[in-house]
Every structure is written in C-alpha cells, then in structure tokens.
Amino acid sequence: MTCNTEDWMHRFRRGNSDYCNFVVRMSLLKPFSKLPALNTANILLVESEEQLQQNLAESLVEESAFTVNVRLAKSLPLPTENDESRPRIDLVVFIIHLTSELSLQSVEASVKYLDPGYFLGKVCFMVTNARNASVPSERLDAVRKLAASLHCPLLFAEDQSPTGVTNATQRLLTILKVSAGLVPMVTALHLSNLTHCTVPPDIDQPSFD
C-alpha cells in the first residue's frame, strides 16, 4: 500500500504497514509551535519520487557532528494524528526531479501546507538532473521562479553517485545547523537573505495585474 502523507523517523524499514494510515484531517506545518531540543536538528525531506530520500537521509545522519533526526514525506500536508509526537521541524527540503513534471507539480501543491513562518529561512529546494539534455528549460525556469517567489535557496544535486549525495548532504547540513539555531549570532532569516534564489532578468516575471 502506498500513502501520500508518509511521515516517520529515519529508523525505518521498507514494507512496514505502520507507515501508511488513512488520514482525514490535515493541517499547516508550523515552525515555532514546539520547543527545540538541545543540540538537535530535525529535517523533513519531501520527495514524491522517493529516489533520493533514503540515501540522503542516511548520509545526513552519518555525516553530521550534531544530532540529526530525519523525517520523510512524499508530499504535504502531514497527518494531524502524528502531530503530538512529531518534533519541531527546523528545515523542510523539497526535492524536485527535473525529468518529472509530476515531481514539480507535487512540490507546488505541497508548499501551500506550510505556515508562512517557514519561509523565513526554514525551507529550501533541491533539484536533480539539471544537466540532463531531455529536461525542458521551462521546467528549470519554473523551479527558479518558485524558489525566488518564496525567498528560498535553490540547491543543485547529483543523485547518481555517492559523491553527489555527500556534496548535497554537506550543503544541507550547513543550512540545517543555522535553521535549528545551532550557530551563535547567525539566524535562519539572515542566511536566507544571503542564499535565496533570484530569477535571472531574461526569465519572464509573473504578472499580478
């Protein structure tokens, strides 16, 4: 059975029936509704294709010098029935595979279920297959526009090699450490202002008329 709102700690095994439950009520994910844990950061990886999640989750736990708890979801919203046991999420990462239009559409739908407070330095987008010749340039432009409109960083990752996963992990850990408040004198909003995506001038801007 496959469910669209999977949400579990990194201590997972494929095929466990506890992963999928039928959920009726959904809610916005809020960044400041719970207290943080000491020297601990919690990251949520959202990926509809489930191609990079597992390797990235394992690498995040192994490579970090501080405690990292990884949660996975295919899409948002998350089920409200797990809300009480779910820790505060310090960083939400939306993974987009540029070879899949459905991957982009899933992310566009999911961002609507985040509280606006998350867009103050606690969200980033990660894309794969940017060098694939079959990827339409319009799709990458759409991702850039999405990230820029929400003032979020846009990271490029290579998911076909261990080195690519390791490089993506290091970038995420740098952002996560700040988002979780583990870097003195540096806030997530300040980092976001320095690293958020901007749209090149040759890309048409959306009209709000």
Side-chain angles (χ1 to χ4, degrees):
M1 182 188 299
T2 300
C3 84
N4 295 325
T5 52
E6 294 172 334
D7 177 30
W8 62 91
M9 297 300 292
H10 180 56
R11 305 180 185 88
F12 59 86
R13 288 188 302 107
R14 294 283 180 181
N16 190 327
S17 60
D18 291 336
Y19 294 165
C20 297
N21 296 294
F22 292 102
V23 179
V24 177
R25 297 183 301 113
M26 303 292 177
S27 65
L28 290 179
L29 189 62
K30 298 181 179 181
F32 305 113
S33 59
K34 298 180 180 181
L35 294 175
L38 183 63
N39 198 36
T40 299
N42 301 293
I43 184 171
L44 173 64
L45 306 179
V46 182
E47 180 193 10
S48 62
E49 305 289 328
E50 296 183 292
Q51 295 179 16
L52 179 57
Q53 272 183 336
Q54 183 171 350
N55 289 338
L56 193 56
E58 293 172 352
S59 184
L60 283 165
V61 172
E62 294 171 358
E63 297 290 333
S64 176
F66 53 96
T67 302
V68 175
N69 293 321
V70 181
R71 303 183 80 91
L72 309 178
K74 291 183 66 176
S75 63
L76 297 183
L78 299 179
T80 56
E81 65 178 13
N82 297 331
D83 185 64
E84 291 187 5
S85 61
R86 183 184 302 124
R88 187 175 85 169
I89 302 299
D90 299 301
L91 180 65
V92 179
V93 181
F94 291 103
I95 301 172
I96 302 172
H97 295 276
L98 292 177
T99 52
S100 170
E101 177 67 22
L102 292 178
S103 179
L104 173 57
Q105 291 175 354
S106 177
V107 168
E108 289 175 330
S110 292
V111 295
K112 301 174 183 178
Y113 293 95
L114 287 179
D115 182 88
Y118 265 106
F119 300 106
L120 300 176
K122 292 180 174 291
V123 173
C124 75
F125 296 88
M126 175 173 285
V127 299
T128 68
N129 303 310
R131 298 179 180 179
N132 192 314
S134 66
V135 173
S137 60
E138 294 81 3
R139 190 171 299 159
L140 178 56
D141 291 346
V143 175
R144 284 174 170 164
K145 289 180 183 179
L146 177 63
S149 68
L150 297 173
H151 303 282
C152 297
L154 175 61
L155 307 179
F156 291 83
E158 171 56 60
D159 62 341
Q160 300 300 315
S161 68
T163 300
V165 174
T166 299
N167 290 338
T169 297
Q170 294 303 322
R171 296 190 191 107
L172 285 182
L173 286 175
T174 298
I175 299 174
L176 176 60
K177 192 172 182 179
V178 175
S179 299
L182 302 180
V183 179
M185 308 301 293
V186 181
T187 66
L189 180 58
H190 177 67
L191 180 63
S192 178
N193 287 335
L194 296 176
T195 61
H196 73 270
C197 180
T198 57
V199 177
D202 57 337
I203 296 180
D204 293 335
Q205 298 295 308
S207 173
F208 297 97
D209 296 336

